[in-house]
Amino acid sequence: MHWDVKRVSAVADYKLYVELVNGHKGIFDVKPYLDRPALRVLRDERYFAQVGIQLGAVTWPDGQDIAPDTLVAELIETETTP
């Protein structure tokens, strides 16, 4: 799918650097979502850093994820890799 993530890494201040299979890349800010009950655990920076990819989506070990449509809609595109 056009929103499949091929690379993700945690960067400073609860942000993610994301590269999509369609060539888009950028920064996604997770901070606005940290008050949601399912995502509060992401406030732990060590856990936040364990971000990964499962079935093309951004996920964490205990099943937290970012909805692909939200990721694509709020991705701030950049040409540089942090």
Side-chain angles (χ1 to χ4, degrees), residues 16-46:
L16 300 172
Y17 172 75
V18 180
E19 291 182 11
L20 305 175
V21 296
N22 66 5
H24 292 269
K25 56 187 171 181
I27 301 295
F28 179 82
D29 188 355
V30 181
K31 281 187 309 227
Y33 302 95
L34 294 177
D35 286 332
R36 295 184 180 188
L39 298 180
R40 285 184 185 144
V41 67
L42 299 180
R43 293 176 185 173
D44 178 336
E45 292 179 3
R46 287 179 287 168

Side-chain angles (χ1 to χ4, degrees), residues 11-80:
V11 294
D13 202 25
Y14 298 104
K15 293 180 179 154
L16 300 172
Y17 172 75
V18 180
E19 291 182 11
L20 305 175
V21 296
N22 66 5
H24 292 269
K25 56 187 171 181
I27 301 295
F28 179 82
D29 188 355
V30 181
K31 281 187 309 227
Y33 302 95
L34 294 177
D35 286 332
R36 295 184 180 188
L39 298 180
R40 285 184 185 144
V41 67
L42 299 180
R43 293 176 185 173
D44 178 336
E45 292 179 3
R46 287 179 287 168
Y47 185 73
F48 184 80
Q50 294 179 41
V51 66
I53 302 168
Q54 187 173 23
L55 301 174
V58 171
T59 62
W60 282 267
D62 290 335
Q64 298 82 11
D65 64 357
I66 302 296
D69 55 338
T70 300
L71 181 73
V72 170
E74 297 185 20
L75 191 68
I76 300 168
E77 294 201 37
T78 181
E79 291 298 319
T80 59

